[in-house]
Amino acid sequence: MREVIIALVSSSITIVITSFFNYHFRLRQEIRNESVKYTTEILKKVYTPILKILVSATVPGDGYDGITKEMLFEIESIMKRNYELVDPHLHSIMWSLKTEVRREHYEESLRLFDKNKNLLTHVEHHFNFYRKRIGLPFDKTKLTRTV
């Protein structure tokens, strides 16, 4: 009789321990899956479209001199469509650029903004950071820059 009780208790303890570890690892896996899902969504809906606009402003041989106000408003519309996914630092960079557009040169359509490359540096850094997080190829040199 004593052996049966010991067997039942040890089986019960084993079941409880196994259930606990199973629950713990499943929970961690679900959290990781959600994180990857949001990271992928941020990459696809925010940083990839913005980077495409910024790359189109780069002249081969000359590099990046800045963006026009039309490009700035195009980036702003991407951010408005995906407001919940946008980094607060990106909001502040855009806010300063929009302020510059409205304050000084709203009429000039050929004037370039972001000459200090704050927007470009931020977008390149985060684009590569999110690619690294989800396991896609990324540019290590863009991650070492200070944002």
Side-chain angles (χ1 to χ4, degrees), residues 86-102:
V86 177
D87 175 4
H89 190 254
L90 181 58
H91 275 295
S92 67
I93 292 170
M94 286 298 291
W95 184 262
S96 66
L97 289 172
K98 288 189 306 186
T99 303
E100 186 181 339
V101 167
R102 289 189 178 105

Side-chain angles (χ1 to χ4, degrees), residues 45-147:
K45 292 184 177 182
V46 177
Y47 287 102
T48 301
I50 292 174
L51 189 60
K52 285 180 182 179
I53 293 169
L54 295 175
V55 166
S56 72
T58 305
V59 179
D62 289 341
Y64 178 84
D65 290 330
I67 56 174
T68 63
K69 71 175 183 182
E70 287 78 16
M71 291 175 169
L72 185 72
F73 293 145
E74 197 175 336
I75 292 170
E76 183 182 24
S77 79
I78 291 168
M79 291 173 59
K80 283 181 180 177
R81 283 192 308 268
N82 304 292
Y83 190 82
E84 70 283 0
L85 302 174
V86 177
D87 175 4
H89 190 254
L90 181 58
H91 275 295
S92 67
I93 292 170
M94 286 298 291
W95 184 262
S96 66
L97 289 172
K98 288 189 306 186
T99 303
E100 186 181 339
V101 167
R102 289 189 178 105
R103 182 179 29 145
E104 295 180 16
H105 305 282
Y106 191 77
E107 305 328 323
E108 287 185 46
S109 63
L110 298 178
R111 166 115 160 82
L112 296 177
F113 301 93
D114 190 39
K115 289 187 178 197
N116 58 4
K117 299 182 182 183
N118 282 343
L119 179 63
L120 178 66
T121 303
H122 177 84
V123 171
E124 284 180 335
H125 174 81
H126 281 77
F127 176 78
N128 284 287
F129 172 76
Y130 288 127
R131 287 180 63 91
K132 179 181 178 183
R133 277 187 74 186
I134 60 176
L136 294 174
F138 63 96
D139 186 352
K140 290 179 186 176
T141 61
K142 304 295 182 183
L143 291 177
T144 58
R145 292 183 182 173
T146 326
V147 179

Side-chain angles (χ1 to χ4, degrees), residues 19-36:
S19 296
F20 172 76
F21 282 116
N22 186 31
Y23 171 77
H24 178 60
F25 289 125
R26 281 249 197 236
L27 186 62
R28 286 183 58 189
Q29 181 182 15
E30 286 191 27
I31 290 170
R32 169 105 172 99
N33 288 344
E34 282 296 311
S35 175
V36 168

